[in-house]
Amino acid sequence: WRPRPLSSRGCRSSLGGLLLQARERERVREADMKHYEVEILDARTKQKLTFLDKVEPNATIGEIKVMFHKNHTRWYPARQSIRLDPKGKSLRDEEILQNLPVGTTATLYFKDLGAQIGWVTVFLTEYAGPLLIYLLFYFRLPFIYGPKHAFTSSPHSVVHLACICHSFHYIKRLLETLFVHRFSHGTMPFRNIFKNCTYYWGFAAWLAYHINHPLYTPPAYGDKQVKIALAIFLFCQLGNFSIHVALRNLRPPGSKARRIPFPTKNPFTWLFLLVSCPNYTYEVGSWIGFTIMTQCLPVALFTLVGFVQMAIWANGKHRSYLKDFRDYPPLRTPIIPFLL
């Protein structure tokens, strides 16, 4: 008996099968090597909270937050701050793992941001308060100015005009929140809403108390002053709305992409040629007009405080534009053309 020799075709078939198996094992091995291992530590205690195995290299920080949430359900994604360094800045949700300065075994740090609340809810709460509070003083409810003046009406036309302008401003803000604004960040810390509401509601009550007071005196220059102030107020309200619409159109629905805002065919948007945040410029202008209209010290103080805060926000956004866009227009200033 002699062993039957293999044909050349059989040899080639066996050899080809072995090569295919080897290539498949190599492909699987290379795929495993391309995956990342991610350990997430507590930023304060450095304690390991979770370990994620075989994370895709193109996984975003937002997706890693979702994976982390599955292991720690009390920390939903909006509550998480994921960082490269315990005291560093939070990574953006859209950042990709393989583009970060980490190896295939990545160490990230987690910080709890606390309970969060949606920005839509925040704005609706902040703006509905002043609208309702002002009307309480305008209609002079009995517990405000006493029974003698309960439900009485001011004899000065500027008082009624001021109520219309104030109500228009906050109704506009509420409608913009619902139908215009697109938020790059979905939430803010829940505790901040108390601070924000104290500011808006408190100032609304203070200036409404004085404007609607029975002893209120109209502006020194009468109807001429009121008409000029009304023109400033309406002009700036239209400008503010135009900027909000332009910023909305700059960002597609569901996108967090950042682009340089430029003027459109709407003349109110031409202020983008000179400032980075013309919405704040117009907002301050509206309150300057309202201050001139009412000639009321609390309104002037509210305008001043609001300007300081908006100047801080505008400076932050301006610096962010300069950092993110090398071709950002050099002529622009944050909020006041050529000055600030």
Side-chain angles (χ1 to χ4, degrees):
W1 177 85
R2 293 181 181 179
R4 187 177 179 180
L6 292 173
S7 66
S8 59
R9 179 181 298 177
C11 289
R12 288 197 298 271
S13 176
S14 300
L15 182 60
L18 291 173
L19 287 173
L20 286 174
Q21 291 177 9
R23 288 173 181 172
E24 180 64 19
R25 286 195 297 270
E26 182 66 18
R27 187 187 67 79
V28 171
R29 187 177 68 84
E30 288 180 356
D32 286 339
M33 288 178 63
K34 289 181 180 178
H35 282 87
Y36 281 67
E37 296 177 342
V38 179
E39 61 174 2
I40 299 179
L41 311 183
D42 187 291
R44 184 173 58 86
T45 64
K46 310 302 185 296
Q47 178 186 357
K48 182 184 288 188
L49 298 175
T50 194
F51 180 82
L52 305 175
D53 190 21
K54 294 186 177 180
V55 179
E56 293 288 340
N58 59 348
T60 64
I61 294 299
E63 292 170 340
I64 290 175
K65 287 182 178 181
V66 173
M67 300 176 199
F68 182 71
H69 175 56
K70 291 179 180 178
N71 295 335
H72 300 275
T73 54
R74 67 183 182 278
W75 292 321
Y76 45 88
R79 188 167 178 162
Q80 301 173 29
S81 169
I82 301 297
R83 310 170 176 190
L84 290 172
D85 184 83
K87 296 182 179 180
K89 294 183 178 180
S90 299
L91 295 170
R92 299 191 304 271
D93 285 354
E94 58 271 20
E95 293 192 67
I96 298 174
L97 182 60
Q98 66 181 355
N99 295 339
L100 298 175
V102 295
T104 53
T105 300
T107 300
L108 301 176
Y109 296 89
F110 159 81
K111 181 179 179 181
D112 181 13
L113 297 176
Q116 300 289 299
I117 184 171
W119 274 109
V120 172
T121 304
V122 170
F123 282 168
L124 292 178
T125 305
E126 289 177 357
Y127 302 153
L131 176 64
L132 298 175
I133 289 171
Y134 194 99
L135 293 176
L136 297 179
F137 288 88
Y138 175 73
F139 290 112
R140 294 180 176 177
L141 297 187
F143 62 87
I144 297 177
Y145 300 115
K148 178 182 177 181
H149 301 285
F151 303 111
T152 59
S153 179
S154 173
H156 307 299
S157 60
V158 66
V159 173
H160 308 299
L161 181 61
C163 180
I164 293 172
C165 290
H166 189 275
S167 299
F168 171 81
H169 174 75
Y170 282 103
I171 290 173
K172 168 183 164 291
R173 281 193 168 189
L174 290 169
L175 293 176
E176 287 176 340
T177 300
L178 293 172
F179 303 111
V180 177
H181 292 319
R182 287 176 180 155
F183 301 99
S184 57
H185 300 287
T187 63
M188 81 166 195
F190 179 76
R191 61 183 178 274
N192 287 358
I193 195 171
F194 298 102
K195 176 182 67 178
N196 293 11
C197 286
T198 298
Y199 168 75
Y200 282 107
W201 296 17
F203 263 115
W206 190 31
L207 60 89
Y209 174 83
H210 287 276
I211 295 173
N212 297 286
H213 198 282
L215 300 179
Y216 171 79
T217 55
Y221 294 95
D223 289 344
K224 185 177 181 180
Q225 178 176 337
V226 172
K227 289 177 182 178
I228 293 173
L230 178 61
I232 295 172
F233 177 85
L234 293 177
F235 178 86
C236 291
Q237 286 288 295
L238 287 171
N240 180 263
F241 175 75
S242 299
I243 298 300
H244 287 162
V245 171
L247 292 174
R248 175 187 184 273
N249 295 336
L250 200 64
R251 177 177 292 155
S255 171
K256 293 185 178 180
R258 285 170 54 82
R259 299 175 185 172
I260 300 176
F262 286 104
T264 67
K265 294 180 180 179
N266 185 340
F268 286 104
T269 66
W270 295 352
L271 196 54
F272 270 125
L273 294 170
L274 300 176
V275 296
S276 295
C277 301
N279 51 319
Y280 294 149
T281 309
Y282 283 123
E283 178 79 8
V284 173
S286 292
W287 286 108
I288 289 175
F290 195 75
T291 302
I292 297 171
M293 180 193 303
T294 58
Q295 196 172 301
C296 183
L297 180 60
V299 181
L301 292 176
F302 175 66
T303 302
L304 177 61
V305 173
F307 167 71
V308 171
Q309 180 60 71
M310 283 184 272
I312 294 172
W313 290 336
N315 271 288
K317 290 189 176 183
H318 183 73
R319 287 195 300 268
S320 179
Y321 282 137
L322 292 174
K323 178 181 178 182
D324 294 343
F325 303 105
R326 293 183 179 179
D327 56 341
Y328 192 72
L331 186 63
R332 294 185 189 179
T333 52
I335 187 171
I336 300 179
F338 309 113
L339 294 177
L340 178 65

